[in-house]
């Protein structure tokens, strides 16, 4: 600020007595301004020329995670029902799902599992997919990020066991692959 | 008041030049009343977040309805009335003319207060357009437009009949406020009315989001920033009795600020479905806003060179220093939060709330209090009833802000880090959102403490003014001194 002149401009009578100095812009301030401008140009160039994108970053992160935790990556959760799995699932259900889907799977904030209606399909594979991926627009979280693949299998077993008991569908029916033309089987 | 030869204040007393100071007093009173109401609601919602039973189990008093009441009351009622009182007071003096039309000034005043009252009635009733800072239903939006046009006509007509040729920098900032808010409000509020209280916005989906945050960001820029910079440029040199540090800096940072601000809205929509080039644009324009914002801070602080001895003792100058410093701080923080990687951590957390209030309490609040304390003795020609309380207010507010913002930064960082933390198995380390939220509680109580201190200061200010105006009081020594200079 050595270049300060502290020379008055003489506007005071035009500004209710407020005087103004004719000082130059502080060097460091001007430097900062140029720096942010150059940085911005550089950032835009980097973003555009090296094909950056938020989708790309996401995919990179997922790929890195898949490599680091292969057991999670392959967790395409092959649904395998067993009475033990269902028993273990009861506890997971009580902790995470019960508040919305009801004490007896009857629904509430979330849908019921003891009727014949499935919005996203009632085959095991479809049910597991919804548990893992959620239905965020309706408030159903993606439990795949929270529960391990084994736990997803357990809680799915618990739900589908209850569903089978209430509706009379057999486990074989439930575990059959979904119909080709989409959900609603 | 000592005045150096370099800064003689030939401002003539209002009685002789026949300025309309009645309208200034009206906006002054409204400011103090709405300030107390708005911040009281702020303290109530702060309590609700820390302790849910304070929602009272009633829809009208629930957080979701009181929160927009708080934001509307502090922004449009408190900050808005401050801008109006400061503009009506300073522009008449800067332009050496009375307002063009007193009736328009009255329509502006009563219209604006009626809008605030209707906001205070409709928001708790749940009548809302659900756009942040633009919640008010369409009939109120129409009223805002009409009242704003009345204000704008009066404002520009007064500039037209001015008795000076040079327009002081404060007036440029006021102009940017009057013009931009009109454009923002009208464009963002365009909607098709269906019933008296319901309308559908003209835009949908992504377009709606983009327009909304173009509006939202510039509501910050042109409602909480440019008019207050204008006020700073008038009241700070007047209170300090010093020349403005650099005329050139004021021109450059003004134009840079108004040009850059308008593009920065997409920093509210980072990592969203908004096309990425638009996000990038919003981000880099926010980065480039740093220096132009700091230009205002520099011109404020450097104007006080040579008055630092008085800064130590005069609570009004102390408030101005804290205000300008918080302005500098939040305009450093803002560009940082606009960087994608930083925003990924900060977005949706209490960090944003901390940022908001360092600007709102630190900058907007403090500069307003300083102006009010400086003006009251001059407007009513009396000594303040409790001069010592001003210093107490200064400390309550300053410590309150620090507690508020530090608590929110800590809470925000904690949330942001815990949401993304991953354990050795590659799973979320904190799978339960509710658990993380529960851990916020101590910080929410701290925020309540800081906010309450801030509110107590504002209430003390209100009592001080009340007793100054109503009480016997002795004639002010300050005001005649200025007039005589
Ligand atoms: C006593 C002082 C104050 C207290 C205790 C207070 C408290 C609060 C609380 C609890 C919230 C909601 C935070 C959340 O949703 O997590 C909030 C939001 C907000 N307040 Fe204040 N406030 C105060 C003063 C002010 C002032 C003076 C202004 C502006 C001039 C202001 C502007 C805002 C804004 C803009 C928001 C919305 C922030 C966002 O959506 O990110 N507040 N305040
Ligand atoms: C150069 C200046 C500034 C920049 C670049 C900036 C940038 C930002 C960013 C990036 C956010 C967070 C958006 C999000 O993640 O949701 C934000 C929020 C916010 N800022 Fe600033 N900020 C600046 C100055 C200020 C000042 C001075 C104030 C107050 C006087 C302020 C008030 C707000 C408010 C009210 C919000 C919350 C908006 C909401 O409701 O979500 N900002 N700002």
């Amino acid at each position: 600020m050595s270049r300060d002149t502290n020379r008055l401009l003489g506007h005071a009578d035009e500004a209710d007595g407020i005087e103004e100095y004719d000082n130059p812009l502080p060097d460091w301030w001007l430097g900062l301004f140029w720096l942010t401008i150059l940085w911005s140009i550089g950032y835009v160039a980097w973003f555009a020329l090296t094909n950056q994108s938020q989708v790309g970053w996401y995919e990179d992160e997922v790929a890195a995670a898949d490599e680091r935790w292969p057991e999670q990556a392959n967790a395409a959760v092959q649904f395998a029902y067993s009475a033990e799995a269902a028993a273990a699932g009861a506890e997971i259900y009580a902790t995470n799902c019960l508040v919305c889907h009801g004490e007896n799977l009857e629904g509430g904030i979330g849908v019921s599992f003891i009727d014949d209606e499935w919005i996203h399909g009632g085959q095991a594979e479809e049910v597991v997919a919804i548990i893992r991926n959620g239905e965020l627009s309706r408030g159903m979280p993606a439990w795949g990020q929270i529960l391990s693949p084994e736990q997803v299998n357990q809680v799915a077993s618990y739900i589908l066991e209850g569903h089978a008991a209430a509706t009379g569908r057999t486990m074989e029916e439930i575990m059959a692959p979904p119909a080709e033309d989409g959900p609603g089987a | 008041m000592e005045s150096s030869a370099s800064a003689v204040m030939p401002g003539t007393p209002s009685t002789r030049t026949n300025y309309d100071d009645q309208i200034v007093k009206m906006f002054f009173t409204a400011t103090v009343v709405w300030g107390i109401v708005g911040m009281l609601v702020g303290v109530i919602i702060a309590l609700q977040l820390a302790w849910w039973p304070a929602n009272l189990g009633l829809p009208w008093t629930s957080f979701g309805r009181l929160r927009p009441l708080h934001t509307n009351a502090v922004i449009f009622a408190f900050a808005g009335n401050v801008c109006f009182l400061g503009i009506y007071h300073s522009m008449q003096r800067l332009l050496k003319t009375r307002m063009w039309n007193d009736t328009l000034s009255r329509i502006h005043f009563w219209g604006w207060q009626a809008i605030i009252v209707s906001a205070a009635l409709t928001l708790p009733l749940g009548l809302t357009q659900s756009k942040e800072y633009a919640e008010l239903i369409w009939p109120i939006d129409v009223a805002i437009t009409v009242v704003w046009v009345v204000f704008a006509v009066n404002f520009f007509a007064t500039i037209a009949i001015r008795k000076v040729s040079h327009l002081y920098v404060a007036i440029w900032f006021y102009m940017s406020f009057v013009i931009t808010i009109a454009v923002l409000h009208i464009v963002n509020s365009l909607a098709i009315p269906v019933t008296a209280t319901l309308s559908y916005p003209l835009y949908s989906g992504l377009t709606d989001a983009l327009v909304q945050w173009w509006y939202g960001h510039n509501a910050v820029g042109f409602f909480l920033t440019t008019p207050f910079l204008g006020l700073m440029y008038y009241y700070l040199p007047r209170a300090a009795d010093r020349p403005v540090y650099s005329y050139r800096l004021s021109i450059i940072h003004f134009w840079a600020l108004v040009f850059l601000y308008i593009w920065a809205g997409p920093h509210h929509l980072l990592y969203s479905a908004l096309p990425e080039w638009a996000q990038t644009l919003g981000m880099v324009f926010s980065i480039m806003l740093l220096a132009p914002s700091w230009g205002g801070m520099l011109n404020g602080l450097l104007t006080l060179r040579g008055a630092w001895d008085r800064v130590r003792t005069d609570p009004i100058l102390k408030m101005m220093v804290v205000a300008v410093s918080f302005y500098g701080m939040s305009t450093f923080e803002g560009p940082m939060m606009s960087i994608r990687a930083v925003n990924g951590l900060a977005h949706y957390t209490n960090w944003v709330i901390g940022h908001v209030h360092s600007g709102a309490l630190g900058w907007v609040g403090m500069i307003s209090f300083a102006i009010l304390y400086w003006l009251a003795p001059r407007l009513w020609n009396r000594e303040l009833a409790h001069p010592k309380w001003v210093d107490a207010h200064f400390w309550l507010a300053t410590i309150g802000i620090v507690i508020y913002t530090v608590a929110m930064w800590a809470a925000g960082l904690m949330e942001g880090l815990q949401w993304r933390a991953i354990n050795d198995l590659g799973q979320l380390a904190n799978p339960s959102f509710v658990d993380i939220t529960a851990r916020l509680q101590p910080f929410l109580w701290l925020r309540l403490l800081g906010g309450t201190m801030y509110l107590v200061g504002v209430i003390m200010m209100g009592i001080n003014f009340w007793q100054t105006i109503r009480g016997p009081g002795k004639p002010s020594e300050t005001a005649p001194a200025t007039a005589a200079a």
Side-chain angles (χ1 to χ4, degrees):
Chain A
M1 261 153 266
S2 48
R3 295 193 291 119
D4 285 1
T5 60
N6 285 352
R7 193 168 61 81
L8 290 173
L9 281 171
H11 284 158
D13 58 332
E14 300 251 288
D16 198 28
I18 299 174
E19 257 305 352
E20 291 173 284
Y21 285 133
D22 186 24
N23 286 325
L25 306 172
D27 289 334
W28 69 268
W29 179 84
L30 199 59
L32 178 70
F33 198 11
W34 278 115
L35 196 74
T36 57
I37 293 172
L38 291 177
W39 187 88
S40 297
I41 295 172
Y43 181 88
V44 171
W46 167 76
F47 196 89
L49 299 179
T50 63
N51 282 321
Q52 300 297 321
S53 88
Q54 61 192 16
V55 177
W57 298 331
Y58 170 74
E59 283 167 354
D60 289 350
E61 264 186 51
V62 171
D66 283 351
E67 200 176 320
R68 178 142 174 233
W69 294 289
E71 63 286 9
Q72 303 275 353
N74 303 329
V77 188
Q78 273 304 318
F79 181 68
Y81 170 78
S82 69
E84 297 80 58
E91 200 183 317
I92 301 167
Y93 180 87
T95 320
N96 299 299
C97 323
L98 182 146
V99 276
C100 292
H101 292 284
E103 195 161 354
N104 303 307
L105 311 179
E106 75 278 16
I109 298 171
V111 297
S112 160
F113 301 123
I114 50 177
D115 57 17
D116 282 322
E117 268 179 60
W118 292 94
I119 300 170
H120 299 278
Q123 298 311 102
E125 200 177 303
E126 294 163 324
V127 174
V128 165
I130 278 292
I131 295 175
R132 295 193 66 215
N133 304 327
E135 174 56 273
L136 295 176
S137 63
R138 292 164 188 259
M140 164 78 175
W143 295 100
Q145 299 170 0
I146 297 171
L147 303 174
S148 69
E150 191 191 353
Q151 288 173 313
V152 170
N153 187 52
Q154 289 168 340
V155 78
S157 299
Y158 173 75
I159 290 170
L160 291 174
E161 187 185 78
H163 170 69
T167 59
R169 284 175 79 202
T170 64
M171 266 302 159
E172 287 68 47
E173 275 169 37
I174 292 173
M175 287 169 69
E180 283 288 309
D181 53 351
Chain B
M1 189 191 275
E2 349 153 282
S3 56
S4 59
S6 58
V8 193
M9 301 286 180
T12 33
S14 49
T15 40
R16 259 186 286 153
T17 26
N18 197 20
Y19 295 136
D20 181 5
D21 277 346
Q22 187 56 35
I23 190 74
V24 183
K25 291 182 185 172
M26 290 159 76
F27 277 114
F28 188 109
T29 313
T31 298
V32 178
V33 171
W34 294 126
I36 293 174
V37 172
M39 294 184 219
L40 177 66
V41 180
V43 167
I44 293 173
I45 60 173
L47 175 67
Q48 291 178 332
L49 286 175
W51 187 65
W52 63 267
N55 283 279
L56 303 181
L58 302 169
W60 311 281
T61 52
S62 62
F63 178 79
R65 293 191 186 181
L66 291 190
R67 189 188 195 275
L69 185 64
H70 164 63
T71 56
N72 278 273
V74 286
I75 299 175
F76 299 112
F78 169 67
N81 279 312
V82 173
C83 295
F84 301 142
L85 89 88
I87 289 175
Y88 280 102
H89 174 259
S90 63
M91 83 179 286
Q92 298 187 77
R93 286 159 176 82
L94 287 168
L95 304 175
K96 287 195 184 152
T97 177
R98 195 185 171 90
M99 291 306 294
W100 179 64
N101 184 312
D102 287 354
T103 311
L104 291 188
S105 306
R106 298 313 178 273
I107 296 176
H108 176 204
F109 176 82
W110 289 111
W112 194 256
Q113 311 314 316
I115 287 164
I116 296 168
V117 170
S118 50
L121 293 175
T122 51
L123 291 172
L125 286 174
L127 298 170
T128 170
Q129 297 197 52
S130 308
K131 290 179 130 194
E132 201 174 8
Y133 314 128
E135 289 90 351
L136 303 176
I137 52 175
W138 72 266
I140 307 181
D141 277 346
V142 172
I144 294 173
T145 311
V146 171
V147 171
W148 202 268
V149 168
V150 166
F151 170 46
V153 167
N154 202 12
F155 176 83
F156 283 107
T158 306
I159 293 180
I161 58 164
R162 70 185 187 272
K163 302 205 177 64
V164 297
S165 57
H166 170 80
L167 279 184
Y168 181 60
V169 45
I171 303 287
W172 316 338
F173 277 102
Y174 299 162
M175 285 200 265
S176 75
F177 166 59
V178 177
I179 297 172
T180 316
I181 293 301
V183 174
L184 292 169
H185 170 71
I186 293 173
V187 174
N188 189 44
S189 301
L190 290 178
I192 300 166
V194 188
T195 70
T197 56
L198 179 70
S199 63
Y200 290 100
L202 214 53
Y203 323 100
S204 60
L206 199 55
T207 321
D208 189 46
L210 183 60
V211 173
Q212 158 63 24
W213 283 110
W214 166 77
Y215 164 89
H217 178 67
N218 292 299
V220 170
F222 291 89
F223 216 100
L224 300 180
T225 301
T226 56
F228 284 92
L229 283 171
L231 297 178
M232 178 197 83
Y233 270 111
Y234 180 78
Y235 292 97
L236 190 143
R238 289 297 315 265
D241 211 353
R242 297 284 313 159
V244 171
Y245 168 69
S246 170
Y247 175 64
R248 216 174 306 176
L249 182 58
S250 69
I251 301 183
I252 305 274
H253 100 90
F254 170 79
W255 285 107
L257 195 81
V258 296
F259 170 70
L260 293 170
Y261 240 110
I262 211 83
W263 303 92
H267 68 218
H268 292 272
L269 296 168
L270 295 177
Y271 292 113
S272 70
L274 188 70
E276 290 182 57
W277 64 265
Q279 296 183 32
T280 302
L281 200 71
M283 170 179 153
V284 296
F285 272 85
S286 307
I287 301 288
M288 290 187 283
L289 260 176
L290 173 59
S293 304
W294 273 15
M297 169 182 72
L298 277 183
N299 238 351
L301 289 179
L302 293 178
T303 296
L304 292 169
R305 282 180 321 172
W308 282 109
D309 49 323
R310 285 183 37 227
V311 171
R312 242 171 285 129
T313 50
D314 182 349
I316 293 179
L317 290 185
K318 282 200 273 191
M319 284 176 172
M320 287 181 169
V321 169
V322 167
V324 173
S325 306
F326 268 98
Y327 177 64
M329 216 221 47
S330 51
T331 55
F332 172 75
E333 184 182 33
M336 293 308 115
M337 290 167 73
S338 307
I339 297 174
R340 278 190 168 91
V342 180
N343 195 262
L345 181 64
H347 192 58
Y348 293 136
T349 72
N350 279 293
W351 182 352
V352 176
I353 304 299
H355 163 71
V356 170
H357 288 87
S358 75
L361 305 179
W363 162 237
V364 173
M366 278 299 212
I367 195 88
S368 304
F369 305 148
I371 293 168
L372 295 173
Y373 282 121
W374 187 83
L375 259 183
R378 289 169 171 78
L379 272 181
W380 277 277
N381 251 334
R382 309 172 159 221
E383 288 275 9
L384 269 187
H386 310 284
K388 291 226 174 73
W389 286 17
V390 183
D391 210 43
H393 182 186
F394 168 79
W395 285 109
L396 273 172
T398 306
I399 298 171
I401 300 167
V402 172
I403 296 178
Y404 190 126
T405 50
V406 170
M408 290 298 97
W409 286 325
L413 269 180
M414 191 199 82
E415 280 175 288
L417 291 173
Q418 294 193 357
W419 286 343
R420 59 164 61 166
I422 286 187
N423 66 16
D424 293 344
L425 298 172
Q427 299 168 316
L428 288 177
N430 301 285
S432 164
F433 183 81
V434 177
D435 287 349
I436 300 176
T437 307
R439 286 179 209 134
L440 292 178
Q441 236 188 350
F443 300 106
L444 299 179
W445 283 111
L446 267 181
R447 184 256 302 274
L448 179 67
L449 173 69
T452 307
M453 290 173 68
Y454 198 85
L455 174 68
V456 169
V458 176
I459 293 173
M460 283 172 65
M461 178 178 80
I463 297 173
N464 205 345
F465 288 150
W466 176 262
Q467 298 190 341
T468 303
I469 299 165
R470 293 282 140 154
K474 45 180 174 169
S476 164
E477 280 153 27
T478 344
T482 322

